[in-house]
Amino acid sequence: MVIQNSFTVIPLILVITINYYAFGFFYGFMWSWISSIVAAIIVFVAVRYWLQDFVQKKAHGEALRKIENKGGQYVFYARVLPFFPTSILNILAAVTTISLKGFVVGTAAGNFLYFFVLSLIPFGFLSTDINPILIVLIILAVTVVVYFIQKQKKVKAKAANNE
């Protein structure tokens, strides 16, 4: 997982599938999830304390601003919607002002949802008689709930700042 979180040369589905076959569904999922969080923290801390100057010279300023403005929320969405390579997200988040806590919470929550869905593939859940629309609806419902929780937190924070 450290290699996958540093360079993304190994497809994540392959790592999760290997863990599934080695440890079973539950333990394979948990091992994949926990090891991904630990690996992301290792990369984050390494870049923040040893490679920050080098990465800031190479990084695109717009990507850094997006991550800084949204913080852990951006990390969460980037983890759930896999359009952004994990390794790049870890590295870019480390050179921003995002706190380690915000990074870890966003990573843990986002990877939990994403890894759970990926773990269902080798489990065969997606190939059983369960309606795929139901699976999509469950994923959407969880995403909507998380979105509204985040929005509610922003409203409360804004109200606290105005007082």
Side-chain angles (χ1 to χ4, degrees), residues 133-144:
I133 294 172
L134 178 63
I135 296 169
V136 171
L137 289 175
I138 291 170
I139 293 168
L140 286 174
V142 169
T143 304
V144 167

Side-chain angles (χ1 to χ4, degrees), residues 113-134:
L113 292 173
Y114 185 57
F115 282 32
F116 184 74
V117 171
L118 288 181
S119 294
L120 293 175
I121 294 169
F123 182 64
F125 187 69
L126 298 178
S127 64
T128 63
D129 293 335
I130 297 174
N131 189 345
I133 294 172
L134 178 63

